[in-house]
Amino acid sequence: MDQEQARRWLRTALDEARAGLDEGGIPIGAALYGADGALLGRGRNRRVQDGDPSAHAETDAFRAAGRQRSYRGTTMVTTLSPCWYCSGLVRQFGISRVVVGEAETFHGGHDWLAGHGVEVVVLDDAECAALMREFIAARPALWNEDIGDE
Amino acid sequence: MDQEQARRWLRTALDEARAGLDEGGIPIGAALYGADGALLGRGRNRRVQDGDPSAHAETDAFRAAGRQRSYRGTTMVTTLSPCWYCSGLVRQFGISRVVVGEAETFHGGHDWLAGHGVEVVVLDDAECAALMREFIAARPALWNEDIGDE
């Protein structure tokens, strides 16, 4: 895909991540875009805010998009490489493309998705990486909880 | 694990599935049990009831259990083989065991989980299978929507 468009869409996810940080939450954001480029849903990690461990950013954006008959041609944009849970979401629902802000602070299932026909774009975005690096350094226990790491 | 206990726990998930059917929803239920056998959370598919495509039964049970520091020793009991989304949930959070009511009407990611160290028990439960078989025959479009199948 067009890298300019990918970076533009990433801003939406990054805005969500920053809003989450401002709320005392885990700074990961996501957005789901339709095949026509329309924003279908946006969301962020809500573990702290809602006490909801299932509300990873990608799932929150997917939920916000509501019921859809097809995900063909859609793009999930996320500030961080999707974990197995969110990668499974992408694979099960046939989301066509994943734009990943960064995969440096956490390497999830994006290679697995690429091996199953999903178009994966990793942007190596410095802002996304800095946000997570600072968060992980400041709150390691909360981060480990969010990815089920003891 | 003890098959008697697995079947006893499956009743909780089956009660959830039936409650979902009574509400006009998709009849899949789940429950998360702790290492000590305590019920941590129970839930059901809420796509129709809440208009929430992210509320698969396993995710709903996981959400109901709230934030947990560790999932070591926990068991996810589900009336139906978990899809990739719910299988990803199990893998990411290190849920130790999955009890599957049936994998006849839908074959999800339980073999993948077994290959990644999760203990998987498939019960071939006739009631679970009948519930899904009748539902799929009655509402094929809704079922396809729930698993992202066009």
Side-chain angles (χ1 to χ4, degrees):
Chain A
M1 75 175 296
D2 176 16
Q3 291 266 324
E4 279 312 303
Q5 186 177 56
R7 290 197 175 274
R8 215 160 42 235
W9 286 357
L10 183 63
R11 305 308 302 179
T12 307
L14 201 45
D15 285 349
E16 287 286 331
R18 288 211 190 86
L21 190 68
D22 288 347
E23 293 165 347
I26 299 168
I28 306 173
L32 183 67
Y33 282 91
D36 61 356
L39 179 63
L40 299 176
R42 53 192 291 170
R44 53 184 177 263
N45 189 299
R46 296 184 184 277
R47 173 178 293 271
V48 173
Q49 298 93 316
D50 297 355
D52 181 354
S54 78
H56 273 197
E58 299 90 329
T59 304
D60 195 49
F62 178 82
R63 184 184 300 161
R67 290 171 60 178
Q68 303 279 336
R69 192 61 201 85
S70 168
Y71 292 89
R72 193 183 296 179
T74 61
T75 302
M76 179 66 80
V77 187
T78 172
T79 55
L80 182 66
S81 173
C83 79
W84 287 116
Y85 169 50
C86 298
S87 296
L89 178 84
V90 168
R91 180 169 175 189
Q92 186 63 46
F93 291 98
I95 292 169
S96 298
R97 195 196 274 152
V98 176
V99 172
V100 176
E102 60 107 355
E104 175 197 318
T105 66
F106 177 77
H107 195 111
H110 65 272
D111 298 325
W112 179 71
L113 288 174
H116 284 96
V118 177
E119 181 186 347
V120 175
V121 179
V122 180
L123 293 174
D124 288 320
D125 184 83
E127 278 184 78
C128 290
L131 200 59
M132 277 309 286
R133 212 181 298 114
E134 285 160 27
F135 169 74
I136 293 169
R139 309 202 58 187
L142 178 57
W143 171 235
N144 286 337
E145 181 189 314
D146 196 56
I147 51 172
D149 197 335
E150 296 178 41
Chain B
M1 76 175 295
D2 176 17
Q3 289 267 324
E4 279 311 303
Q5 185 177 57
R7 292 199 174 271
R8 214 159 43 234
W9 286 357
L10 183 63
R11 305 308 302 180
T12 307
L14 200 45
D15 285 349
E16 288 287 329
R18 289 213 189 86
L21 189 68
D22 288 346
E23 291 164 348
I26 299 168
I28 306 173
L32 183 67
Y33 282 91
D36 61 356
L39 179 63
L40 299 176
R42 54 194 290 170
R44 54 184 177 263
N45 190 299
R46 296 184 184 277
R47 173 177 293 269
V48 173
Q49 298 92 316
D50 296 355
D52 181 353
S54 77
H56 272 197
E58 298 90 329
T59 303
D60 195 49
F62 178 82
R63 184 184 300 159
R67 289 172 61 178
Q68 303 278 338
R69 192 61 201 85
S70 167
Y71 291 89
R72 191 182 298 177
T74 61
T75 302
M76 179 66 82
V77 186
T78 173
T79 55
L80 181 66
S81 174
C83 79
W84 286 116
Y85 169 49
C86 298
S87 295
L89 177 83
V90 168
R91 180 169 175 189
Q92 186 63 47
F93 290 98
I95 291 170
S96 299
R97 196 196 273 153
V98 176
V99 172
V100 176
E102 62 106 354
E104 176 197 317
T105 65
F106 176 77
H107 194 113
H110 64 272
D111 298 326
W112 179 71
L113 288 175
H116 284 94
V118 177
E119 181 186 345
V120 175
V121 179
V122 181
L123 291 174
D124 289 320
D125 184 83
E127 278 183 79
C128 290
L131 200 60
M132 277 309 287
R133 213 180 299 113
E134 285 160 27
F135 169 74
I136 293 169
R139 310 204 55 187
L142 178 56
W143 171 234
N144 287 338
E145 182 190 314
D146 196 56
I147 51 172
D149 197 335
E150 295 177 43

